[in-house]
Amino acid sequence: VGTVRIGALRPVVVWDRRDDPFNPTRGFLNTLSVEVANQAFLSESEFVRVIAGTSWYLPLERTRRLVIALSLRGGYAASYGASTEVPLIRRFFLGGANSVRGFDLDSISPKAPDGTETGGNISINENVELRYPLPFGFAGALFFDAGQVWLDETDVDLGDQRTSVGLGLRYVTPVGPIR
């Protein structure tokens, strides 16, 4: 409840070797961002937030019609200085179309006693997807997603991840697929 002013420096490093940024069939994308919020940047809260990710696209045949897409992302956040916790808006949440499909948006999170999602300071998200072409510009995907968010290091249990399996449908356009 309330507002917090966040002033931060957030450099991002990206190494992108995909053959197509919208519908890759081979290559990889690696990212690393480090966000530092500090009173020197006029921030009311002081914290560090690190997010790293890697995605790999592997064709299963020479025609590149079948593609395995693998993705691993993780995040860590910690307060420092006079701050006792990371602001809610900068904590991690998972669930939804871009993390663990099959779960509502931001529903994978530590919860308060009343059941409200509070977000966490540590997250991990893994995705495996088999992409295949369909007629008329459509494409299908069979996926397995897993992930979890924990409040702090003492809660981390990789066997405690939420998982989902499903099918996806995409329409391939010149500016990227519609999922």
Side-chain angles (χ1 to χ4, degrees), residues 6-88:
I6 298 174
L9 181 64
R10 184 178 164 216
V12 177
V13 177
V14 177
W15 187 14
D16 188 349
R17 299 290 297 174
R18 297 173 294 172
D19 61 344
D20 181 334
F22 299 112
N23 194 25
T25 60
R26 62 185 232 177
F28 61 85
L29 171 66
N30 295 322
T31 61
L32 174 66
S33 74
V34 179
E35 181 179 13
V36 179
N38 188 281
Q39 290 178 354
F41 306 127
L42 305 178
S43 185
E44 295 175 345
S45 179
E46 295 183 307
F47 63 89
V48 175
R49 188 171 185 249
V50 178
I51 302 171
T54 185
S55 297
W56 290 80
Y57 305 91
L58 310 167
L60 291 181
E61 55 184 79
R62 296 186 86 141
T63 62
R64 295 189 215 152
R65 293 175 51 86
L66 295 176
V67 175
I68 290 278
L70 306 168
S71 178
L72 173 63
R73 290 181 300 277
Y76 177 81
S79 61
Y80 68 92
S83 298
T84 58
E85 62 183 17
V86 176
L88 178 68

Side-chain angles (χ1 to χ4, degrees), residues 113-131:
D114 67 357
T116 305
E117 286 88 5
T118 62
N121 295 328
I122 300 170
S123 73
I124 190 165
N125 181 205
E126 307 99 5
N127 308 96
V128 178
E129 187 173 88
L130 173 64
R131 298 176 180 177

Side-chain angles (χ1 to χ4, degrees), residues 23 131-141 168-172 177-178:
N23 194 25
R131 298 176 180 177
Y132 50 91
L134 296 171
F136 309 111
F138 286 92
L169 181 65
R170 298 167 184 187
Y171 181 71
V172 180
I178 298 171

